[in-house]
Amino acid sequence: MQNAKRLRYEALSAFAADLNKAAKYTEICDALSAHIKYIIDFFQLRLHHFNKGESGCFEMSRGECVFFKPRQDGLWKYEMEVFETGLPVNYFGDAIQEHKLLARSVFNNPKVAAVYSLPVSYFKDQKILITIAVKSQIHYIDIDFKFLKSIADLVANKLMQLDLLKKIENTNKELKAKNAQITKLNYDLEQTVNLRTAELTNANEELKTLFYRTSHDFRAPLANIMGLANIAKLVTKDKDALNLFEKCEEVAHKMDAMLSKLNVLSTYSYEHQIKPVDFRQILRELRAKFQDKLQEIGGRLIFDIVLDDEHLANPDTYVTILENLLENSINYHNTNLIVQVYILRYKNDLVIKFSDNGQGIPLKIIGKIYDMYYRGNSESTGSGLGLYVVRKLVRSLHGNIFAQSKPKKHTHFIIKVPLVQPS
């Protein structure tokens, strides 16, 4: 019994890991097909996700999973009734055929002995109903419903992430379309140019607003998940359960890190805190923050600042730039990592040279490293947003960033921004 329970936890952990990698609905189906049968014993499974008036279903039968937009049929009405109660329900034997809505559904099968439904609500406009059909009339104990709830939570979080990325992608497409329209305009038609420019400005503001609001809204439930995982560690001594909580917390931390990077893209537009930038303090705090990871890989962060002039800007912008670069150096390091940061004035520019002796960047991809969601190799565990965010912030400072690298030797990032920022 204990061994079976451990195997179910391991399957749930593997499901969470595969789900974290999924970038589209078919890959969610693949994760469900690969792992759910080892977590829950079922004959048929249906997971119905409702979000802001839209709904989608994952259905599994005979080991195969499909995703589709459901019709508002009898089964859909049954699910609405379950959500109104807000409580798990179950039906056995003849009760399934006697139920006016279930009798005309996929669950009315001679092999089905019992049907269990578990509703889960997350936000005002988002909820999930997970329904399973089994071949024997067994009463599910609490642990089974916990597994069902965990499956629902993991899928809900992934669908929220895909929804956010889809909105960002659509907004980017709209922005590119408007840029294309602007380039085709006749420069002599001043009124038309002004109109298209105004449309582009509005699109940019909408994109910033989307980043700002959605990243804040999504980070709140993630914080709750991480908090609950920490609390759970205090109330159980089961090693398998603790391992599962750690895995869940790890997945939540990765998604939180991605949302943090997205949030930065809008924060610098909404939250201007212009004051003298203390680079020594910033680098000392970053060294302290990453001290454990540096010690773990035998790494060092050293810096030299030769800057007598006061530089006025938003210090948080430089914190994010340097933190993303340092995080990349640690993630793609060789043994005995050495990170060197030099900050100086050159003519009218502030220059930051960030160097490391890590893996380096192949010449064939160095032109793509700033692209949104670009990952340099299949083993990358990052979000593909770090250098995209860095370049975005450098450009917000009216500057530029350049990369030089020799694979397996070193990488240099050169950042130049005006010492005196335009008002």
Side-chain angles (χ1 to χ4, degrees), residues 312-331:
L312 298 176
N314 184 346
D316 290 340
T317 301
Y318 286 101
V319 171
T320 303
I321 290 172
L322 293 168
E323 182 174 0
N324 275 286
L325 292 175
L326 180 56
E327 189 176 36
N328 275 357
S329 294
I330 293 173
N331 288 339

Side-chain angles (χ1 to χ4, degrees), residues 271-325:
E271 301 173 5
H272 293 289
Q273 298 179 0
I274 307 303
K275 59 184 179 181
V277 180
D278 188 342
F279 289 102
R280 286 184 177 84
Q281 179 182 351
I282 289 173
L283 287 164
R284 288 192 197 104
E285 291 176 356
L286 285 176
R287 182 159 57 189
K289 179 177 180 178
F290 289 91
Q291 187 61 36
D292 290 343
K293 290 185 178 180
L294 287 169
Q295 287 182 349
E296 183 179 333
I297 62 175
R300 289 187 296 154
L301 167 63
I302 58 177
F303 56 86
D304 189 17
I305 301 171
V306 184
L307 186 67
D308 296 325
D309 305 276
E310 188 177 66
H311 179 60
L312 298 176
N314 184 346
D316 290 340
T317 301
Y318 286 101
V319 171
T320 303
I321 290 172
L322 293 168
E323 182 174 0
N324 275 286
L325 292 175

Side-chain angles (χ1 to χ4, degrees), residues 77-341:
K77 293 178 181 178
Y78 161 77
E79 291 169 331
M80 292 300 98
E81 290 181 359
V82 176
F83 267 121
E84 286 181 4
T85 66
L87 298 172
V89 298
N90 52 68
Y91 293 92
F92 303 97
D94 294 338
I96 299 172
Q97 298 181 4
E98 293 171 2
H99 194 289
K100 62 180 181 180
L101 299 178
L102 286 178
R104 298 191 297 272
S105 73
V106 294
F107 296 114
N108 186 12
N109 186 299
K111 296 182 179 180
V112 172
V115 173
Y116 300 84
S117 295
L118 176 67
V120 186
S121 295
Y122 298 95
F123 306 102
K124 180 180 179 182
D125 298 323
Q126 188 195 23
K127 51 192 177 183
I128 274 184
L129 181 69
I130 184 167
T131 301
I132 61 171
V134 296
K135 294 181 180 180
S136 60
Q137 294 188 13
I138 57 174
H139 290 278
Y140 270 43
I141 58 175
D142 289 345
I143 190 66
D144 293 288
F145 280 104
K146 288 178 182 177
F147 277 118
L148 288 173
K149 175 70 164 53
S150 296
I151 292 168
D153 290 344
L154 290 170
V155 174
N157 282 329
K158 172 52 65 174
L159 291 174
M160 283 191 291
Q161 178 188 358
L162 293 183
D163 183 61
L164 173 62
L165 295 178
K166 182 179 179 181
K167 289 179 181 178
I168 294 171
E169 181 182 358
N170 290 339
T171 305
N172 279 332
K173 287 180 180 179
E174 292 175 8
L175 186 58
K176 289 179 181 178
K178 288 182 171 61
N179 273 319
Q181 292 174 5
I182 291 173
T183 58
K184 294 178 183 178
L185 292 176
N186 189 319
Y187 65 91
D188 290 327
L189 301 177
E190 184 177 353
Q191 291 182 345
T192 304
V193 171
N194 290 338
L195 175 61
R196 295 297 184 269
T197 303
E199 291 178 356
L200 178 60
T201 301
N202 290 336
N204 273 315
E205 288 302 317
E206 291 172 3
L207 179 60
K208 293 173 185 176
T209 301
L210 175 64
F211 281 144
Y212 189 77
R213 293 182 178 177
T214 54
S215 60
H216 277 77
D217 291 345
F218 281 102
R219 290 189 73 194
L222 276 177
N224 289 337
I225 292 172
M226 290 185 284
L228 289 172
N230 282 325
I231 293 173
K233 293 176 184 178
L234 302 175
V235 299
T236 181
K237 295 182 179 179
D238 186 293
K239 292 183 179 180
D240 294 325
L242 290 171
N243 181 57
L244 177 59
F245 289 132
E246 287 179 2
K247 296 292 184 183
C248 293
E249 191 175 11
E250 179 183 346
V251 171
H253 273 296
K254 287 182 179 179
M255 187 173 179
D256 184 63
M258 183 192 71
L259 291 174
S260 296
K261 287 181 170 63
L262 292 175
N263 183 44
V264 167
L265 297 178
S266 59
T267 299
Y268 73 81
S269 298
Y270 284 95
E271 301 173 5
H272 293 289
Q273 298 179 0
I274 307 303
K275 59 184 179 181
V277 180
D278 188 342
F279 289 102
R280 286 184 177 84
Q281 179 182 351
I282 289 173
L283 287 164
R284 288 192 197 104
E285 291 176 356
L286 285 176
R287 182 159 57 189
K289 179 177 180 178
F290 289 91
Q291 187 61 36
D292 290 343
K293 290 185 178 180
L294 287 169
Q295 287 182 349
E296 183 179 333
I297 62 175
R300 289 187 296 154
L301 167 63
I302 58 177
F303 56 86
D304 189 17
I305 301 171
V306 184
L307 186 67
D308 296 325
D309 305 276
E310 188 177 66
H311 179 60
L312 298 176
N314 184 346
D316 290 340
T317 301
Y318 286 101
V319 171
T320 303
I321 290 172
L322 293 168
E323 182 174 0
N324 275 286
L325 292 175
L326 180 56
E327 189 176 36
N328 275 357
S329 294
I330 293 173
N331 288 339
Y332 304 102
H333 73 282
N334 291 323
T335 55
N336 299 318
L337 172 69
I338 299 178
V339 178
Q340 303 176 73
V341 183

Side-chain angles (χ1 to χ4, degrees), residues 268 272-277 279 307 309-315 317-318 321 345 348-352 391-400 415-423:
Y268 73 81
H272 293 289
Q273 298 179 0
I274 307 303
K275 59 184 179 181
V277 180
F279 289 102
L307 186 67
D309 305 276
E310 188 177 66
H311 179 60
L312 298 176
N314 184 346
T317 301
Y318 286 101
I321 290 172
R345 173 177 180 170
N348 294 322
D349 288 331
L350 170 74
V351 179
I352 301 175
R391 186 171 68 169
K392 201 79 172 176
L393 293 180
V394 169
R395 288 181 174 178
S396 78
L397 295 166
H398 310 280
N400 287 299
I415 298 171
K416 288 185 177 181
V417 302
L419 184 64
V420 177
Q421 288 286 294
S423 56

